[in-house]
Amino acid sequence: MSCCGPTRRTLLGAMAVATLSSALGAGASRAQRNSLIATDLELVTVTDRSVIMTWTTVAPDASGQPVPVASSGAVRVAPVGSAPVTMYESAEPTPFHYAEITGLEPGRRYIFEAESEGVRAVSALNPVTLAPDAPEVCGEFTTLVPPPGRLLRTFALGNDVHYGETVSGLIVGDFPPGFRSLPDLPPYPEVMLAALLDDLRAPDRGAQRLILAGDLTAEATPSQSRSVRAQLDSWGALGRDYLVARGNHDRPHTGADYASCAPATADHRDCFTEFFVPREELVQHEIGGLRLLGLDTSELDGTGGRIDRPQFDHLTGILTADPDRPTLIFGHHPVTRTSGATALAGPGFILNASDSTELQTLYTRAPGVFLHHAGHTHRNLRTRPDTPCDVEFLEVASVKEYPGGYTLLRIHEGGYMVSFYKTRTPAARQWSALTRNEYFGLIPAYTLGHLTDRNHVVHRDFSGLT
C-alpha cells in the first residue's frame, strides 16, 4: 500500500455524506445496494497493542439521496512487509462500523485496509484524515511504545455532556442548522453519557476514576443538574468514582427557572452547587499518592474563563506546600495562547490572559504538575505551555456529539499513555455519524484532532505512586 491523495471514491463518499444527515433522521427510502459507498473512515485510537477505526456505509435511494445501509465489515492488518490477514469481522450488519483490533505488538508499523462487502472504506473530505501522512491515506499506522514499568492507574477524561440540551451544533441563535435527537431514542445527551459510562467499566477499558471537566448541563437548571447527577450516581459515587469541575454552562443563572436555588449574587441563582460542587471552590482528590485538582474557571456571565483570587490562592498554597507531588489539574477552559489562537470563537473563549500567565508561572514552580485537562472547545488538541513548565495541556473532545467520546489516561511507573476513544453503543455510533455533519459538515476538521493529539506517550517518573 502506498500513500496517495484523495481518490474518486473518496470524493464520492464525501459528497454522499454531505446529505447523509437528513437520511439518518428519516431512513425511509430503500437504498440501491449495488452502489454501496464505505466512507468516513477514521483511524481513531492507536495504543501499544490495539487500534480502532470507524466508518459508515451508505447507498443512494431511488431519488439519489444517500441513506445508511447495514452491511458487513472487515479489517485486514499485517506488519509492514507482510500480506494483510483478516483480524476483524463484524458480528452483524450495521451502517455504523466500529472495528477494534487487539493483539498487536508495541512500536511496530502495520498496514491495514477496511472494507464492507468488497468496497474499500475511505476517508471523507477532512484535511486531518486526508493529509499525505494520515493513516487513512497511507494505509499504515505504528503502535505506541508504552512507558516503562507497571501500569498503576487508568483515568477517563471527559467533558461537555450538556445534559438537557435539545439541539446540537448551534453557534448563535438557530445558526448553523442544528441536529435533534433521533426518533424513538432518549435525548442525545443521555444516550451519549450512558454510552460513556457503559464503556468505562468494561474490562478492555478499566477506568478507575472518571474526571469531568465541566459543562455537565446545558443551562444548569434544577432539573438538568438533578438528572445528570442521578445518571452519574447510577454508575458511581461523586468524590470517589467520579470528580466534577464546573463549566460555563453550569454557571449561576437568572430568571424564574432558578428561583428555588441558592443565591450566588443578588440576581443570580446557583442550582449546580446543590447537586455537585460549590462555586469557585477547588476540587481535591488523592489516590495512591497522585493528586487531582479541579478548577472552577467559569465566569458569572459569558463563555470565557477566569479564576477568582481565593481559589487561586488556595491552589498556590497547595502546590507551594508540596510542589513535587505528581498532580493532574482539570478545569473547563483551555489555557494556552495556541488554544486561543486556534479556537473558533477566538482568544476570548479560553482562560483570560492574566490568569493564564499566572497559572502557567505557578506551574513552573510546581514540577509535579504534569497534565492540565480542559474541555469547552469540543475538540482533541494537545498544546505546549507559554512558560517553561513541563506540563501537557490537553483538550478533550465532547461527550455529547461527534466524535463523541473520552480519553483514557494510563499511568505507568515511567510515564503515561493518552488514548482517545469514541463511545461504541449502537445509538452512540449512530448519533456520532449524524453530528459529524454539524457546521455544514466541517466539524471533523476542527474536533477530531491529529492522530498524535489523540494518542501519545509521555515519559515521567511516577515510581513513587502506588
Side-chain angles (χ1 to χ4, degrees):
M1 302 179 188
S2 61
C3 294
C4 55
T7 63
R8 180 175 180 273
R9 183 175 292 279
T10 303
L11 297 171
L12 288 172
M15 289 186 289
V17 175
T19 52
L20 177 58
S21 58
S22 59
L24 280 167
S29 301
R30 182 181 297 276
Q32 310 298 303
R33 292 191 61 87
N34 61 346
S35 300
L36 187 74
I37 296 171
T39 186
D40 299 344
L41 176 66
E42 293 172 351
L43 193 138
V44 180
T45 310
V46 178
T47 74
D48 54 334
R49 296 187 179 275
S50 66
V51 64
I52 300 173
M53 60 198 72
T54 60
W55 70 95
T56 303
T57 46
V58 299
D61 63 13
S63 67
Q65 295 297 309
V67 295
V69 174
S71 68
S72 62
V75 178
R76 290 178 288 278
V77 178
V80 169
S82 303
V85 297
T86 300
M87 295 190 66
Y88 167 84
E89 289 184 293
S90 54
E92 58 185 31
T94 178
F96 313 109
H97 301 267
Y98 184 107
E100 184 165 3
I101 293 91
T102 59
L104 305 179
E105 297 179 24
R108 189 157 190 182
R109 286 175 61 207
Y110 288 89
I111 55 175
F112 76 98
E113 54 187 24
E115 60 90 12
S116 287
E117 299 185 7
V119 177
R120 178 85 173 269
V122 295
S123 171
L125 286 182
N126 175 4
V128 173
T129 54
L130 284 179
D133 61 345
E136 296 83 357
V137 172
C138 294
E140 292 185 11
F141 64 88
T142 301
T143 50
L144 301 179
V145 177
R150 295 178 298 117
L151 175 63
L152 302 173
R153 301 286 174 190
T154 300
F155 297 99
L157 310 180
N159 39 260
D160 296 281
V161 177
H162 290 219
Y163 210 95
E165 185 178 274
T166 58
V167 183
S168 184
L170 301 178
I171 298 177
V172 178
D174 294 327
F175 180 85
F179 294 82
R180 296 182 179 273
S181 296
L182 293 166
D184 304 320
L185 286 177
Y188 60 83
E190 299 177 30
V191 167
M192 299 304 280
L193 179 57
L196 166 67
L197 300 177
D198 181 69
D199 252 19
L200 298 188
R201 295 296 195 204
D204 56 357
R205 302 293 185 261
Q208 287 133 341
R209 297 288 188 281
L210 169 60
I211 301 171
L212 291 165
D215 279 6
L216 275 70
T217 67
E219 294 298 339
T221 64
S223 175
Q224 291 170 6
S225 303
R226 182 184 303 107
S227 297
V228 71
R229 173 69 190 268
Q231 189 166 350
L232 288 166
D233 281 354
S234 69
W235 178 82
L238 176 64
R240 184 192 69 196
D241 300 297
Y242 70 95
L243 307 175
V244 169
R246 187 189 299 249
N248 60 294
H249 281 262
D250 307 317
R251 69 190 186 278
H253 286 66
T254 60
D257 291 343
Y258 303 89
S260 64
C261 301
T265 67
D267 301 320
H268 293 74
R269 299 281 175 155
D270 182 9
C271 305
F272 195 77
T273 287
E274 178 181 349
F275 298 97
F276 288 103
V277 291
R279 179 170 173 256
E280 298 180 341
E281 184 171 305
L282 196 68
V283 173
Q284 300 182 66
H285 186 75
E286 184 176 315
I287 176 171
L290 176 67
R291 182 167 54 195
L292 306 173
L293 299 175
L295 294 168
D296 178 356
T297 59
S298 64
E299 296 178 340
L300 188 59
D301 293 298
T303 59
R306 63 179 293 273
I307 304 173
D308 69 299
R309 178 45 50 191
Q311 186 180 197
F312 229 138
D313 291 344
H314 190 188
L315 175 66
T316 300
I318 290 173
L319 295 182
T320 301
D322 194 0
D324 297 312
R325 179 179 296 277
T327 302
L328 186 160
I329 294 182
F330 61 103
H332 189 61
H333 291 81
V335 175
T336 67
R337 284 196 293 266
T338 300
S339 292
T342 58
L344 282 179
F349 200 62
I350 71 167
L351 192 68
N352 69 58
S354 60
D355 286 353
S356 171
T357 299
E358 183 176 351
L359 184 65
Q360 294 184 69
T361 301
L362 175 60
Y363 289 170
T364 66
R365 303 192 299 268
V369 178
F370 65 93
L371 187 142
H372 186 117
H373 159 218
H376 196 44
T377 56
H378 297 201
R379 62 182 174 178
N380 291 306
L381 182 66
R382 179 191 189 193
T383 65
R384 295 295 301 168
D386 307 315
T387 62
C389 61
D390 190 15
V391 178
E392 174 178 344
F393 291 86
L394 184 68
E395 297 167 46
V396 175
S398 70
V399 171
K400 64 123 178 162
E401 65 194 346
Y402 173 90
Y406 58 94
T407 287
L408 286 189
L409 180 72
R410 295 182 173 100
I411 298 179
H412 294 246
E413 290 174 314
Y416 60 88
M417 181 164 59
V418 166
S419 308
F420 177 77
Y421 292 83
K422 290 182 180 180
T423 46
R424 52 184 166 171
T425 64
R429 287 185 281 128
Q430 184 177 10
W431 179 250
S432 291
L434 172 60
T435 54
R436 79 185 318 277
N437 295 283
E438 289 180 1
Y439 310 151
F440 303 105
L442 299 176
I443 191 172
Y446 180 63
T447 61
L448 180 62
H450 192 274
L451 184 65
T452 56
D453 291 324
R454 305 191 303 269
N455 307 278
H456 55 267
V457 169
V458 176
H459 291 90
R460 299 277 299 217
D461 181 8
F462 295 129
S463 59
L465 300 180
T466 60

Short mmCIF file of all heavy atoms in Angstrom, two decimals, residues 401-431:
data_model
loop_
_atom_site.label_atom_id
_atom_site.label_comp_id
_atom_site.label_asym_id
_atom_site.label_seq_id
_atom_site.Cartn_x
_atom_site.Cartn_y
_atom_site.Cartn_z
N GLU A 401 -21.44 14.87 21.28
CA GLU A 401 -21.59 14.92 19.83
C GLU A 401 -20.30 14.42 19.18
O GLU A 401 -19.32 14.13 19.87
CB GLU A 401 -21.86 16.36 19.38
CG GLU A 401 -20.68 17.28 19.64
CD GLU A 401 -21.00 18.75 19.54
OE1 GLU A 401 -22.07 19.10 19.02
OE2 GLU A 401 -20.18 19.55 20.01
N TYR A 402 -20.30 14.33 17.85
CA TYR A 402 -19.10 13.88 17.12
C TYR A 402 -17.85 14.61 17.62
O TYR A 402 -17.90 15.83 17.81
CB TYR A 402 -19.27 14.15 15.62
CG TYR A 402 -17.99 13.87 14.86
CD1 TYR A 402 -17.75 12.61 14.34
CD2 TYR A 402 -17.01 14.85 14.71
CE1 TYR A 402 -16.56 12.34 13.67
CE2 TYR A 402 -15.83 14.58 14.05
CZ TYR A 402 -15.61 13.33 13.54
OH TYR A 402 -14.42 13.06 12.91
N PRO A 403 -16.72 13.92 17.84
CA PRO A 403 -16.56 12.47 17.66
C PRO A 403 -17.13 11.64 18.78
O PRO A 403 -17.11 10.42 18.70
CB PRO A 403 -15.04 12.31 17.57
CG PRO A 403 -14.49 13.45 18.34
CD PRO A 403 -15.44 14.60 18.11
N GLY A 404 -17.62 12.29 19.83
CA GLY A 404 -18.38 11.59 20.86
C GLY A 404 -17.56 10.57 21.63
O GLY A 404 -17.64 9.39 21.33
N GLY A 405 -16.83 11.03 22.64
CA GLY A 405 -16.02 10.07 23.36
C GLY A 405 -15.31 10.64 24.56
O GLY A 405 -15.76 11.61 25.19
N TYR A 406 -14.17 10.05 24.87
CA TYR A 406 -13.43 10.36 26.09
C TYR A 406 -11.99 9.93 25.88
O TYR A 406 -11.66 9.20 24.92
CB TYR A 406 -14.02 9.59 27.28
CG TYR A 406 -14.02 8.09 27.06
CD1 TYR A 406 -12.97 7.29 27.52
CD2 TYR A 406 -15.04 7.46 26.34
CE1 TYR A 406 -12.95 5.92 27.29
CE2 TYR A 406 -15.03 6.11 26.11
CZ TYR A 406 -14.00 5.34 26.58
OH TYR A 406 -13.97 3.98 26.35
N THR A 407 -11.12 10.34 26.77
CA THR A 407 -9.71 9.96 26.71
C THR A 407 -9.36 9.11 27.92
O THR A 407 -9.73 9.45 29.06
CB THR A 407 -8.82 11.22 26.69
OG1 THR A 407 -8.93 11.84 25.40
CG2 THR A 407 -7.35 10.88 26.93
N LEU A 408 -8.66 8.01 27.68
CA LEU A 408 -8.09 7.22 28.78
C LEU A 408 -6.66 7.66 29.02
O LEU A 408 -5.86 7.77 28.09
CB LEU A 408 -8.13 5.73 28.46
CG LEU A 408 -9.48 5.03 28.54
CD1 LEU A 408 -9.29 3.51 28.41
CD2 LEU A 408 -10.22 5.34 29.84
N LEU A 409 -6.37 7.92 30.27
CA LEU A 409 -5.02 8.27 30.71
C LEU A 409 -4.49 7.09 31.53
O LEU A 409 -4.94 6.87 32.66
CB LEU A 409 -5.06 9.55 31.54
CG LEU A 409 -3.73 10.06 32.09
CD1 LEU A 409 -2.88 10.64 30.96
CD2 LEU A 409 -3.96 11.10 33.19
N ARG A 410 -3.57 6.35 30.94
CA ARG A 410 -3.00 5.18 31.61
C ARG A 410 -1.63 5.55 32.18
O ARG A 410 -0.70 5.85 31.44
CB ARG A 410 -2.89 4.01 30.63
CG ARG A 410 -4.23 3.51 30.11
CD ARG A 410 -4.04 2.31 29.18
NE ARG A 410 -5.31 1.70 28.80
CZ ARG A 410 -5.92 1.92 27.64
NH1 ARG A 410 -5.40 2.77 26.75
NH2 ARG A 410 -7.06 1.31 27.35
N ILE A 411 -1.54 5.53 33.51
CA ILE A 411 -0.33 5.97 34.19
C ILE A 411 0.53 4.76 34.57
O ILE A 411 0.06 3.86 35.28
CB ILE A 411 -0.67 6.81 35.42
CG1 ILE A 411 -1.42 8.07 34.98
CG2 ILE A 411 0.58 7.18 36.20
CD1 ILE A 411 -1.84 8.97 36.13
N HIS A 412 1.75 4.76 34.07
CA HIS A 412 2.74 3.72 34.39
C HIS A 412 3.79 4.30 35.33
O HIS A 412 3.84 5.51 35.56
CB HIS A 412 3.42 3.23 33.11
CG HIS A 412 2.51 2.52 32.16
ND1 HIS A 412 2.64 1.17 31.86
CD2 HIS A 412 1.46 2.96 31.42
CE1 HIS A 412 1.72 0.82 30.98
NE2 HIS A 412 0.98 1.88 30.70
N GLU A 413 4.65 3.44 35.82
CA GLU A 413 5.73 3.92 36.70
C GLU A 413 6.65 4.91 35.97
O GLU A 413 7.21 5.81 36.59
CB GLU A 413 6.55 2.73 37.21
CG GLU A 413 5.80 1.86 38.20
CD GLU A 413 6.58 0.62 38.57
OE1 GLU A 413 7.12 -0.06 37.66
OE2 GLU A 413 6.66 0.32 39.79
N GLY A 414 6.78 4.75 34.66
CA GLY A 414 7.70 5.59 33.90
C GLY A 414 7.03 6.59 32.99
O GLY A 414 7.69 7.12 32.08
N GLY A 415 5.75 6.90 33.18
CA GLY A 415 5.09 7.88 32.34
C GLY A 415 3.62 7.56 32.14
O GLY A 415 3.03 6.77 32.88
N TYR A 416 3.03 8.16 31.09
CA TYR A 416 1.61 7.91 30.84
C TYR A 416 1.33 7.82 29.34
O TYR A 416 2.09 8.31 28.51
CB TYR A 416 0.73 8.99 31.48
CG TYR A 416 0.95 10.40 31.00
CD1 TYR A 416 0.28 10.90 29.89
CD2 TYR A 416 1.81 11.27 31.69
CE1 TYR A 416 0.45 12.21 29.45
CE2 TYR A 416 1.99 12.58 31.27
CZ TYR A 416 1.32 13.04 30.15
OH TYR A 416 1.49 14.33 29.74
N MET A 417 0.24 7.15 29.03
CA MET A 417 -0.22 6.98 27.66
C MET A 417 -1.62 7.58 27.53
O MET A 417 -2.50 7.28 28.33
CB MET A 417 -0.21 5.51 27.25
CG MET A 417 -0.66 5.25 25.81
SD MET A 417 -0.22 3.57 25.22
CE MET A 417 -1.09 2.55 26.42
N VAL A 418 -1.81 8.41 26.52
CA VAL A 418 -3.09 9.06 26.22
C VAL A 418 -3.73 8.35 25.04
O VAL A 418 -3.09 8.16 24.00
CB VAL A 418 -2.87 10.55 25.90
CG1 VAL A 418 -4.12 11.16 25.28
CG2 VAL A 418 -2.46 11.31 27.15
N SER A 419 -5.02 7.97 25.18
CA SER A 419 -5.74 7.30 24.09
C SER A 419 -7.16 7.82 24.05
O SER A 419 -7.90 7.72 25.04
CB SER A 419 -5.77 5.78 24.29
OG SER A 419 -4.48 5.26 24.53
N PHE A 420 -7.58 8.38 22.91
CA PHE A 420 -8.96 8.85 22.76
C PHE A 420 -9.82 7.74 22.17
O PHE A 420 -9.43 7.07 21.21
CB PHE A 420 -9.04 10.08 21.86
CG PHE A 420 -10.46 10.53 21.62
CD1 PHE A 420 -11.13 11.23 22.59
CD2 PHE A 420 -11.12 10.23 20.44
CE1 PHE A 420 -12.46 11.63 22.40
CE2 PHE A 420 -12.43 10.63 20.23
CZ PHE A 420 -13.10 11.33 21.22
N TYR A 421 -11.01 7.54 22.75
CA TYR A 421 -11.95 6.52 22.30
C TYR A 421 -13.30 7.15 21.97
O TYR A 421 -13.82 7.95 22.76
CB TYR A 421 -12.19 5.48 23.40
CG TYR A 421 -11.00 4.62 23.72
CD1 TYR A 421 -10.01 5.07 24.59
CD2 TYR A 421 -10.86 3.34 23.16
CE1 TYR A 421 -8.91 4.28 24.89
CE2 TYR A 421 -9.77 2.54 23.47
CZ TYR A 421 -8.80 3.02 24.33
OH TYR A 421 -7.71 2.23 24.63
N LYS A 422 -13.86 6.79 20.84
CA LYS A 422 -15.27 7.07 20.60
C LYS A 422 -16.11 6.08 21.43
O LYS A 422 -15.70 4.94 21.64
CB LYS A 422 -15.63 6.87 19.13
CG LYS A 422 -15.07 7.90 18.18
CD LYS A 422 -15.54 7.62 16.75
CE LYS A 422 -15.01 8.62 15.75
NZ LYS A 422 -15.48 8.33 14.37
N THR A 423 -17.29 6.52 21.88
CA THR A 423 -18.20 5.59 22.53
C THR A 423 -18.80 4.66 21.48
O THR A 423 -18.91 5.02 20.30
CB THR A 423 -19.29 6.33 23.31
OG1 THR A 423 -19.83 7.37 22.49
CG2 THR A 423 -18.72 6.94 24.58
N ARG A 424 -19.21 3.46 21.89
CA ARG A 424 -19.44 2.40 20.91
C ARG A 424 -20.80 1.71 20.96
O ARG A 424 -21.00 0.72 20.26
CB ARG A 424 -18.34 1.35 21.05
CG ARG A 424 -18.15 0.84 22.47
CD ARG A 424 -16.98 -0.11 22.58
NE ARG A 424 -16.63 -0.33 23.99
CZ ARG A 424 -15.77 -1.23 24.42
NH1 ARG A 424 -15.19 -2.04 23.56
NH2 ARG A 424 -15.49 -1.35 25.70
N THR A 425 -21.75 2.17 21.78
CA THR A 425 -23.07 1.56 21.69
C THR A 425 -23.68 1.89 20.32
O THR A 425 -23.32 2.89 19.70
CB THR A 425 -24.01 2.08 22.80
OG1 THR A 425 -24.22 3.48 22.61
CG2 THR A 425 -23.42 1.83 24.19
N PRO A 426 -24.61 1.07 19.83
CA PRO A 426 -25.21 1.37 18.53
C PRO A 426 -25.83 2.76 18.44
O PRO A 426 -25.66 3.46 17.44
CB PRO A 426 -26.27 0.27 18.38
CG PRO A 426 -25.73 -0.88 19.18
CD PRO A 426 -25.04 -0.25 20.36
N ALA A 427 -26.52 3.18 19.49
CA ALA A 427 -27.15 4.51 19.45
C ALA A 427 -26.10 5.62 19.44
O ALA A 427 -26.27 6.63 18.75
CB ALA A 427 -28.08 4.68 20.66
N ALA A 428 -25.02 5.45 20.18
CA ALA A 428 -23.96 6.46 20.19
C ALA A 428 -23.26 6.55 18.84
O ALA A 428 -22.95 7.64 18.35
CB ALA A 428 -22.94 6.14 21.29
N ARG A 429 -23.02 5.41 18.20
CA ARG A 429 -22.37 5.42 16.89
C ARG A 429 -23.27 6.09 15.85
O ARG A 429 -22.80 6.81 14.97
CB ARG A 429 -22.02 3.99 16.47
CG ARG A 429 -20.84 3.43 17.26
CD ARG A 429 -20.41 2.06 16.75
NE ARG A 429 -21.28 1.01 17.24
CZ ARG A 429 -21.87 0.10 16.49
NH1 ARG A 429 -21.72 0.13 15.17
NH2 ARG A 429 -22.60 -0.85 17.03
N GLN A 430 -24.57 5.86 15.94
CA GLN A 430 -25.50 6.49 15.00
C GLN A 430 -25.53 8.01 15.21
O GLN A 430 -25.48 8.78 14.23
CB GLN A 430 -26.89 5.90 15.17
CG GLN A 430 -27.91 6.41 14.16
CD GLN A 430 -29.27 5.77 14.31
OE1 GLN A 430 -29.53 5.07 15.29
NE2 GLN A 430 -30.14 6.00 13.36
N TRP A 431 -25.58 8.45 16.46
CA TRP A 431 -25.62 9.88 16.74
C TRP A 431 -24.31 10.55 16.30
O TRP A 431 -24.33 11.65 15.74
CB TRP A 431 -25.88 10.12 18.22
CG TRP A 431 -25.89 11.57 18.58
CD1 TRP A 431 -24.97 12.25 19.32
CD2 TRP A 431 -26.88 12.54 18.19
NE1 TRP A 431 -25.31 13.57 19.43
CE2 TRP A 431 -26.47 13.78 18.75
CE3 TRP A 431 -28.05 12.49 17.45
CZ2 TRP A 431 -27.21 14.96 18.56
CZ3 TRP A 431 -28.79 13.66 17.27
CH2 TRP A 431 -28.37 14.87 17.83
#
